[in-house]
């Protein structure tokens, strides 16, 4: 039997857009999602965020236009034949350069996105090679025996590269750790489009410690592969856990009533009590079959339980 | 005369640049589109590798 490792995982820093995780080396243009400053290819401390790179490209291109405008103005000033012309040229030139400056400032956010798009197209091969190098670096760390760091590296790569292989590697690593509630865990990015017992196990563990991570995609996954999960050694307890997680929100009860009906009789008392209270407090909802099943289980197991007495409404 | 030419040139330069900036503003991708672009580049890169 594999012994699970107690580990401390550093929190995953989410960015609003995944591409913002990218860093680029100012020296060799190597793309990476790993490392803070030092480039793993050229070894120089020249890594900068992709936004900073785009901002510096933008500054350069805007200054180029301003310098051309200033040069034209300077030629006009040098070659002006009278003080009146000099004044006219200076005033007109300053106004025009100011207009250019204002237009540039207003266009800066859009320009920055355009430059990024251009950069990604131009350096597509380097981008793909960079992320491949990141994954290879993670595998090298795994071979050196540092599993938590490997997971953290794969998690960073996985924010952008979404392949089943990468997901599986992360799931397997997570399954080798002792998972705790305070860990920065995730589920949605790891869901596969085929059945995998390790993923099912992971969902089962999450249903005990982080029910909030089990959302619609996970419910759909579990429902789709319910038969295979039931054939697993602890398959039923996984499904009971997931059914218990569905009781977290009324929306999930409405969406997946049959999942709950099938496993309601095996729910832990605390989860069943929650289900019971939710069903009791929502008589207007269309939960007839579920309400009947809940009432049946209540009568069978909890009729004389004190915790249930405060919530029982015989008219419902 | 040269001063007028320079001023005219500068005016034209600013007008053309501004028009350019305005048209690019409309064509600029959204951050969501950039995300999709990066993912598709990485996906095709992975496929080539496999």
């Amino acid at each position: 039997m594999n012994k699970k490792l107690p580990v401390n995982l550093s929190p995953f820093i989410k960015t609003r857009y995944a591409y913002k995780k990218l860093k680029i080396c100012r020296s060799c243009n190597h793309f990476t999602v790993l490392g803070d400053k030092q480039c793993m290819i050229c070894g120089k401390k020249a890594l900068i965020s992709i936004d900073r790179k785009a901002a510096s490209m933008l500054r350069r291109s805007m200054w180029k236009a301003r310098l051309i405008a200033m040069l034209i103005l300077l030629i006009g000033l040098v070659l002006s034949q009278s003080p009146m012309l000099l004044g006219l040229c200076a005033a007109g030139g300053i106004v025009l350069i100011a207009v250019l400056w204002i237009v540039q400032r207003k266009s800066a956010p859009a320009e920055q996105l355009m430059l990024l798009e251009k950069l990604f197209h131009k350096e597509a091969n380097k981008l793909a090679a960079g992320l491949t190098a990141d994954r290879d670096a993670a595998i090298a760390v795994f071979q050196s025996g540092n599993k938590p760091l490997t997971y953290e590296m794969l998690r960073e790569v996985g924010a952008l590269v979404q392949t089943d292989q990468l997901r599986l590697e992360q799931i397997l690593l997570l399954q080798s750790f002792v998972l705790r509630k305070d860990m920065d865990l995730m589920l949605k990015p790891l869901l596969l489009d085929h059945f995998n017992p390790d993923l099912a196990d992971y969902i089962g563990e999450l249903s005990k410690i982080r029910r909030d991570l089990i959302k619609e995609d996970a419910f759909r996954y579990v429902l789709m592969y319910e038969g295979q999960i039931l054939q697993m050694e602890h398959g039923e307890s996984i499904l009971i856990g997931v059914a218990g997680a569905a009781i977290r929100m009324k929306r999930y009860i409405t969406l997946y009533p049959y999942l709950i009906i099938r496993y309601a009789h095996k729910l832990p008392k605390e989860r069943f009590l929650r289900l019971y209270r939710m069903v009791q407090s929502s008589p207007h909802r269309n939960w007839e079959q579920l309400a009947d099943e809940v009432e049946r289980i209540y009568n069978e197991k909890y009729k004389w339980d004190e915790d249930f007495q405060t919530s029982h409404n015989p008219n419902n | 005369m040269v001063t007028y030419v320079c001023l005219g040139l500068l005016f034209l330069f600013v007008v053309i640049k501004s028009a350019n900036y305005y048209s690019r503003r409309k064509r600029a991708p959204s951050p969501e589109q950039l995300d999709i672009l990066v993912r598709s580049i990485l996906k095709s890169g992975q496929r080539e590798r496999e």
Side-chain angles (χ1 to χ4, degrees), chain A residues 33-34 131-139 150-174 186 189-192 194 199, chain B residues 39 42 46 49-50:
Chain A
V33 286
L34 307 174
L131 274 282
T132 305
D134 281 350
R135 189 192 160 264
D136 294 344
I139 299 303
T150 309
Y151 170 70
E152 286 169 13
M153 291 167 88
L154 289 177
R155 187 175 62 177
E156 292 294 324
V157 179
L160 278 164
V161 184
Q162 290 166 341
T163 60
D164 278 358
Q165 190 190 1
L166 208 65
R167 289 185 186 114
L168 261 175
E169 285 162 357
Q170 288 178 77
I171 293 164
L172 288 171
L173 281 165
L174 281 167
M186 56 176 81
L190 301 179
L191 288 174
L192 303 165
H194 60 268
L199 175 57
Chain B
R39 284 181 205 278
L42 293 172
Q46 284 287 323
R49 194 171 173 244
E50 282 161 15

Side-chain angles (χ1 to χ4, degrees), chain A residues 18-19 80 104 111 132 162, chain B residues 3 21 24 29 35 39 49:
Chain A
Y19 78 86
S80 49
Q104 282 184 331
E111 279 292 306
T132 305
Q162 290 166 341
Chain B
T3 308
Y21 283 129
R24 281 160 69 94
D35 242 7
R39 284 181 205 278
R49 194 171 173 244

Side-chain angles (χ1 to χ4, degrees), chain A residues 19-258:
Chain A
Y19 78 86
K20 285 184 186 275
K21 287 234 154 228
L22 282 169
K23 293 183 194 101
I24 188 168
C25 175
R26 270 181 302 189
S27 171
C28 65
N29 269 6
H30 169 72
F31 286 89
T32 181
V33 286
L34 307 174
D36 271 341
K37 289 217 166 99
Q38 192 161 14
C39 173
M40 68 168 98
I41 301 297
C42 67
K44 290 183 184 162
K45 289 187 175 176
L47 282 185
I48 52 168
S49 73
I50 200 76
D51 275 341
R52 225 179 115 194
K53 171 78 178 175
S56 102
M57 284 161 67
L58 180 69
R59 254 197 318 273
R60 207 175 310 145
S61 100
M62 288 194 165
W63 267 108
K64 205 169 125 189
R66 282 173 213 158
L67 284 175
I68 292 171
M70 283 177 196
L71 188 71
I72 298 171
L73 175 64
L74 191 71
I75 294 169
L77 288 173
V78 169
L79 299 179
S80 49
Q81 287 141 342
S82 69
M84 195 197 78
L85 278 177
L86 186 82
L88 182 75
C89 186
I94 288 168
V95 169
L96 286 170
I97 290 173
V99 169
L100 178 68
W101 203 299
I102 292 166
V103 172
Q104 282 184 331
R105 279 194 63 175
K106 280 192 171 176
S107 309
E111 279 292 306
Q112 193 160 324
L113 292 170
M114 290 282 278
L115 284 171
L116 274 178
E117 188 185 37
K118 211 167 141 188
L119 177 73
F120 291 144
H121 278 301
K122 194 177 147 204
E123 305 281 0
N125 288 336
K126 277 197 169 180
L127 176 59
L131 274 282
T132 305
D134 281 350
R135 189 192 160 264
D136 294 344
I139 299 303
V141 170
F142 176 78
Q143 281 158 356
S144 73
N146 193 342
K147 284 186 179 181
L149 183 59
T150 309
Y151 170 70
E152 286 169 13
M153 291 167 88
L154 289 177
R155 187 175 62 177
E156 292 294 324
V157 179
L160 278 164
V161 184
Q162 290 166 341
T163 60
D164 278 358
Q165 190 190 1
L166 208 65
R167 289 185 186 114
L168 261 175
E169 285 162 357
Q170 288 178 77
I171 293 164
L172 288 171
L173 281 165
L174 281 167
Q175 281 303 91
S176 69
F177 303 150
V178 178
L179 300 180
R180 295 187 316 273
K181 200 176 181 173
D182 62 321
M183 280 177 168
D184 198 355
L185 301 169
M186 56 176 81
L187 177 58
K188 197 179 174 190
L190 301 179
L191 288 174
L192 303 165
D193 50 15
H194 60 268
F195 173 68
N196 180 277
D198 293 302
L199 175 57
D201 267 333
Y202 178 58
I203 294 173
E205 286 217 38
L206 287 183
S207 72
K208 290 177 206 151
I209 55 165
R210 289 287 306 272
R211 287 189 197 108
D212 58 305
L213 290 179
I214 301 181
K215 294 182 181 162
E216 280 165 47
D217 292 349
F219 289 121
R220 276 199 294 273
Y221 181 85
V222 166
L223 284 172
M224 193 177 288
Y225 302 108
E226 192 178 347
Q228 281 111 311
I229 295 173
L230 273 174
Q231 284 167 15
M232 291 168 61
E233 196 183 345
H234 305 292
E236 198 183 39
S237 68
I238 293 171
L239 291 164
I240 293 166
V242 173
I247 296 161
R248 207 167 61 82
M249 287 167 80
K250 285 182 180 173
R251 177 181 157 72
Y252 295 148
I253 299 182
T254 308
L255 284 172
Y256 311 105
Y258 296 105

Side-chain angles (χ1 to χ4, degrees), chain B residues 19-42:
Chain B
N20 210 355
Y21 283 129
Y22 273 111
S23 79
R24 281 160 69 94
R25 224 191 278 181
K26 284 180 189 160
R27 282 185 288 128
S30 64
E32 289 86 357
Q33 285 170 319
L34 278 186
D35 242 7
I36 295 168
L37 172 68
V38 170
R39 284 181 205 278
S40 69
I41 288 171
L42 293 172

